[in-house]
Amino acid sequence: MRTKIVAGNWKMNKLPSDAAALIGEIRAATNDGDCGVEVVVCVPYTAITAAAAALEGSKIGLGAQNMHWKDSGAYTGEISAGMLKDLGVKYVILGHSERRQYFAETDETVNLKLKAALAAGLTPIVCVGETLEERETGKMEEVIIRQVSEDLAGCQADFSKIVIAYEPVWAIGTGKTATSTQAQEVHALIRATLAKMNPEQADLVRIQYGGSMKPENAADLMAKPDIDGGLIGGAALVADSFAAIVAAGK
Ligand code: PEP
């Protein structure tokens, strides 16, 4: 039985003091994350210290939204896994479609980052998903299989430590959600792809759905057999909405 995991992706929002305030509200609204669902907040780098302090004594996990694959060196503007760990970060989002789209992230760099995150003991949340054009031209399956195979290549022994987020690009921040049937179909494809890579651990991987998940559709999505939680953008910035999505995962 996989424990559901609901993570908020705050993107480039919230100053440290706002982050601390929102975390206070989320703690209150989710019974401090002690609710049968793993609860995570992925905050901007600049809010990590304030968020770690605001989460003191809480079961809610702290996450970041990106990292570099090298431990240290001449990589101006970058942050390593070790730097995140040192601040109390436990989870890291990798390969979000906004990073693939705007910052030239590739399957190759996602794979390097995944290996570095696992080596540092962070729980990676690896994002995959097709664009609208890819779906409409019948390429969805090919894209998902390629992303899962290349992003997770060489990490088979650590599958149980990896979280995958299926985020159809056309559903992110658009208000358009995949139907639970559409999402389940892709989640099953992801699990089948994982099973070809490591049959023993494919059933242990948690696969979140992300893309305009909200309190109104969360229960329907998370009732599906291969949907093990959610990666939440917009709705994660409002404590009551985020808590209602968490509650829908129970
Ligand atoms: C996301 O960016 O990970 C996301 C799912 O965003 P939204 O919930 O706003 O669609």
Side-chain angles (χ1 to χ4, degrees):
M1 189 57 195
R2 296 180 292 267
T3 304
K4 289 212 170 34
I5 172 165
V6 173
N9 172 14
W10 290 12
K11 310 194 185 192
M12 196 170 70
N13 293 295
K14 303 291 175 190
L15 296 173
S17 56
D18 302 326
L22 179 54
I23 284 170
E25 290 170 25
I26 291 172
R27 287 184 72 160
T30 62
N31 193 34
D32 218 355
D34 191 7
C35 55
V37 173
E38 205 168 309
V39 184
V40 180
V41 288
C42 298
V43 308
Y45 291 139
T46 49
I48 287 174
T49 303
L55 284 169
E56 193 78 46
S58 173
K59 283 198 80 176
I60 298 170
L62 178 58
Q65 301 169 17
N66 182 33
M67 53 167 261
H68 197 267
W69 60 88
K70 292 280 190 183
D71 291 341
S72 62
Y75 301 100
T76 302
E78 292 295 333
I79 306 276
S80 72
M83 291 169 174
L84 296 177
K85 282 273 291 188
D86 186 56
L87 296 178
V89 169
K90 301 242 159 34
Y91 302 78
V92 63
I93 298 172
L94 299 176
H96 190 279
S97 64
E98 286 153 14
R99 297 218 52 87
R100 294 178 192 258
Q101 191 180 348
Y102 305 131
F103 302 100
E105 190 106 27
T106 63
D107 292 319
E108 192 188 352
T109 58
V110 174
N111 182 250
L112 289 168
K113 290 178 182 197
L114 175 58
K115 288 173 176 158
L118 288 167
L122 292 170
T123 298
I125 300 177
V126 181
C127 302
V128 298
E130 81 287 0
T131 63
L132 186 59
E133 195 199 340
E134 287 162 344
R135 177 165 278 262
E136 286 178 343
T137 53
K139 296 205 184 93
M140 180 274 283
E141 287 195 17
E142 176 192 324
V143 169
I144 297 296
I145 292 171
R146 188 203 73 227
Q147 289 179 337
V148 172
S149 314
E150 294 187 9
D151 294 0
L152 277 68
C155 300
Q156 282 86 337
D158 286 321
F159 269 11
S160 62
K161 299 175 192 154
I162 298 172
V163 177
I164 295 181
Y166 168 55
E167 298 210 309
V169 180
W170 47 272
I172 297 179
T174 58
K176 283 187 203 158
T177 321
T179 65
S180 54
T181 306
Q182 277 173 323
Q184 167 57 29
E185 185 196 357
V186 185
H187 283 234
L189 171 66
I190 293 171
R191 204 174 299 287
T193 308
L194 295 170
K196 284 197 183 131
M197 297 169 77
N198 181 347
E200 270 95 59
Q201 287 192 30
D203 279 342
L204 304 175
V205 179
R206 286 162 317 156
I207 309 175
Q208 300 172 312
Y209 169 80
S212 300
M213 200 191 250
K214 34 190 182 259
E216 300 78 53
N217 58 27
D220 180 35
L221 284 157
M222 286 191 275
K224 293 291 180 191
D226 288 295
I227 303 184
D228 308 310
L231 182 57
I232 321 300
L237 295 171
V238 180
D240 286 346
S241 302
F242 185 62
I245 295 170
V246 170
K250 280 185 208 164

